[in-house]
Amino acid sequence: MTILGFLIPLALLMGLLGLGTFFWAMRSGQFEDLDGAANRILLDEDQGDGPP
């Protein structure tokens, strides 16, 4: 029973940490261009790095 006194606050702290990280990512613009990476893989750009 005493382990619950440790695990419950730990779980709440980890949840708040995850929520804080999510809000930080929202504010810093991490979720602005969700379709950009999906469309970039379809582009055929000749980089000139490899053999023709």
Side-chain angles (χ1 to χ4, degrees):
M1 252 342 241
T2 59
I3 193 70
L4 287 177
F6 177 71
L7 289 178
I8 291 174
L10 181 65
L12 289 173
L13 180 68
M14 288 175 63
L16 287 174
L17 182 67
L19 190 62
T21 304
F22 172 73
F23 284 130
W24 169 80
M26 289 283 293
R27 253 187 320 209
S28 67
Q30 295 290 319
F31 302 111
E32 290 295 322
D33 186 18
L34 296 177
D35 294 328
N39 291 335
R40 249 180 276 135
I41 198 167
L42 299 175
L43 297 176
D44 188 23
E45 296 180 7
D46 187 17
Q47 299 289 332
D49 296 357

